[in-house]
Amino acid sequence: MNQPRRAGNIPGAARPDTPDLLMREASLDKLKAFLTLLPSMILIGVFVYGFIGDTIWTSMTDWGGGTAMAFAPEKHFIGLENYIDLFTGFLGSGFRQDLVNAVYYSIMLLAGAVGLGMFIAILLDQKPRGEDLLRTIFLYPMSLSFIVSGTIWRWLLAPQGGVNVLPKYFGFEPLTFKWLSSQSAVLVFNWQDILRILLYIAAFILILVGVFMLRKNQAKAIKRCLLPGILIGGFVWLFGGIIPDALFMEEEHGFNLATLGIIIATVWQYSGYTMALYLAGFNGISQDLRDAAMLDGASNVAYYRHVAIPMLKPITISAVIILSHISLKMFDLIFAMTGPDNAATGHPALTMYLTTFRGNEFARGAAIAIVLFLVAAMFIVPYLVGQYRQQGRR
């Protein structure tokens, strides 16, 4: 009597995959993927992280001075001396003002470009006539390099340039404001108090975050944000005198009005970029959702405030990360608008270049580069951590 043959013995029949076979195939796929990525990993490891490590090492040496350009210059390890000098030394006054300028550049660029870009996107989301033309006009500045736009704005903001002369065409007196060379400053503070100021800022941020967290988790907001913020602020208020001064003498820094021209040029160039991001986000929201909000009695303002803009939180975070990174690299725009030697509009990126390649102080320039690198990481790392946690919850 003929017995039925098993499927595995039938010619051409599909053989069921065993767990061992699946594991071998998965291991082979991982090996192929690793070998494919290996050249890129080696290049990134050498030319990115390797050079970052070399820059950190250079910043902890005394490489500079008259023999800096020698074929085999002598380098001696001095630890964190360059960093201490930048923040507390007598010769670091220029860098400290540049760092203050960079903070204001970042804040003003974020507020101006994100706010103006969102406003323009909301207007274009109403589908006005000539929408395509208007979108092109607003996006055009982004196609220009910083050198080109900086040169144009330098002409416009000159003492006799277009901006100061413009009121004359409407019957008013021309402006006399020095957009790029003003020596006036506002929001002036003493660098001696920088440690106390930073603690106040940290307390304010914690309290602000806690207030926003109250609706979601009241206990967590009080325990992790509100209470620590109040304690830090209260400690500085009551016992701030025991916090050491950063300098042995008074050194005033503030928001130089000469930076206004550069901020205007930067916002003009990048507001179109944020407009494009938000407009794409608005177009991606379902029309049914908007119709439902309107049926519930929501006005246009309420729709954007409570529905559309909260849904575009990832776009806002991405715009903040990108613009923050750009604000830390405003070398070419400042160089084109005010030149390399205008201390009122200085920036750490410009100071780093001049210190390294004009003054031949390579170790000091490397220290400035690492400071900028750490400041950029303050914006990017929290975003990456947040994205990683969101992916882990899915």
Side-chain angles (χ1 to χ4, degrees):
M1 183 175 178
N2 295 331
Q3 295 182 354
R5 293 193 299 177
R6 296 179 180 178
N9 298 327
I10 299 175
R15 186 177 60 179
D17 292 330
T18 63
D20 292 339
L21 181 60
L22 291 175
M23 291 180 62
R24 286 197 298 269
E25 290 180 352
S27 300
L28 184 60
D29 290 339
K30 290 181 179 179
L31 179 60
K32 291 179 180 179
F34 175 76
L35 293 177
T36 302
L37 296 175
L38 184 60
S40 299
M41 293 169 60
I42 294 175
L43 292 175
I44 292 175
V46 173
F47 294 102
V48 177
Y49 296 105
F51 284 0
I52 290 175
D54 183 70
T55 303
I56 294 175
W57 161 253
T58 301
S59 69
M60 296 183 179
T61 66
D62 60 353
W63 186 14
T67 61
M69 298 299 292
F71 182 76
E74 293 186 3
K75 303 179 186 178
H76 303 96
F77 181 78
I78 59 174
L80 300 177
E81 186 174 327
N82 286 318
Y83 296 95
I84 295 173
D85 184 62
L86 286 175
F87 287 96
T88 63
F90 178 76
L91 297 178
S93 175
F95 168 78
R96 292 189 282 272
Q97 180 57 56
D98 294 343
L99 193 62
V100 172
N101 288 347
V103 172
Y104 286 116
Y105 281 137
S106 300
I107 295 174
M108 297 295 182
L109 174 59
L110 291 175
V114 173
L116 183 58
M118 182 186 297
F119 177 74
I120 297 173
I122 292 174
L123 295 181
L124 293 180
D125 193 45
Q126 310 305 312
K127 308 301 180 183
R129 290 185 179 180
E131 177 189 356
D132 294 337
L133 176 61
L134 292 174
R135 186 187 305 142
T136 303
I137 292 174
F138 290 125
L139 276 175
Y140 175 73
M142 189 182 170
S143 65
L144 300 176
S145 69
F146 266 149
I147 293 295
V148 174
S149 59
T151 303
I152 295 172
W153 278 100
R154 183 181 63 187
W155 295 337
L156 291 174
L157 297 176
Q160 302 300 325
V163 173
N164 281 350
V165 176
L166 184 62
K168 190 175 181 180
Y169 294 98
F170 297 94
F172 300 100
E173 292 293 326
L175 300 176
T176 58
F177 184 73
K178 298 179 180 178
W179 293 97
L180 302 176
S181 59
S182 175
Q183 299 298 318
S184 301
V186 296
L187 303 177
V188 178
F189 67 94
N190 184 3
W191 189 267
Q192 284 181 317
D193 302 325
I194 189 64
L195 297 179
R196 289 179 280 272
I197 292 173
L198 291 176
L199 289 175
Y200 273 128
I201 293 175
F204 174 77
I205 293 175
L206 286 173
I207 294 173
L208 188 64
V209 173
V211 170
F212 281 105
M213 290 176 57
L214 281 175
R215 295 181 180 179
K216 297 181 180 179
N217 192 327
Q218 186 174 2
K220 185 178 179 180
I222 295 175
K223 182 178 179 181
R224 295 190 178 183
C225 296
L226 289 176
L227 186 58
I230 294 174
L231 290 176
I232 293 173
F235 173 79
V236 179
W237 177 266
L238 296 174
F239 307 104
I242 66 176
I243 299 176
D245 294 336
L247 292 176
F248 65 92
M249 62 181 182
E250 291 189 2
E251 183 178 286
E252 293 186 343
H253 298 282
F255 175 53
N256 290 328
L257 299 183
T259 60
L260 283 174
I262 297 173
I263 292 170
I264 291 173
T266 313
V267 171
W268 171 82
Q269 185 152 5
Y270 278 97
S271 58
Y273 169 73
T274 54
M275 175 214 70
L277 292 178
Y278 281 113
L279 191 58
F282 289 145
N283 291 334
I285 298 177
S286 173
Q287 184 64 33
D288 295 337
L289 184 61
R290 182 167 187 168
D291 294 340
M294 297 302 176
L295 288 175
D296 289 339
S299 62
N300 274 336
V301 175
Y303 165 72
Y304 284 107
R305 179 181 177 183
H306 298 290
V307 179
I309 294 177
M311 292 182 65
L312 301 185
K313 182 180 178 181
I315 292 180
T316 301
I317 295 176
S318 299
V320 168
I321 295 296
I322 294 171
L323 293 177
S324 300
H325 186 253
I326 290 172
S327 69
L328 297 175
K329 301 191 303 182
M330 292 173 54
F331 169 85
D332 38 5
L333 180 67
I334 298 174
F335 196 97
M337 293 186 67
T338 61
D341 299 312
N342 189 340
T345 60
H347 191 280
L350 185 60
T351 303
M352 175 189 66
Y353 171 80
L354 297 176
T355 301
T356 305
F357 299 106
R358 179 189 285 184
N360 293 335
E361 295 291 340
F362 295 100
R364 190 181 181 88
I368 298 175
I370 295 302
V371 171
L372 282 176
F373 174 77
L374 294 176
V375 173
M378 292 172 58
F379 292 97
I380 298 175
V381 171
Y383 170 74
L384 296 177
V385 172
Q387 292 294 104
Y388 179 77
R389 288 181 176 177
Q390 289 181 1
Q391 292 178 0
R393 294 169 184 170
R394 296 174 183 174

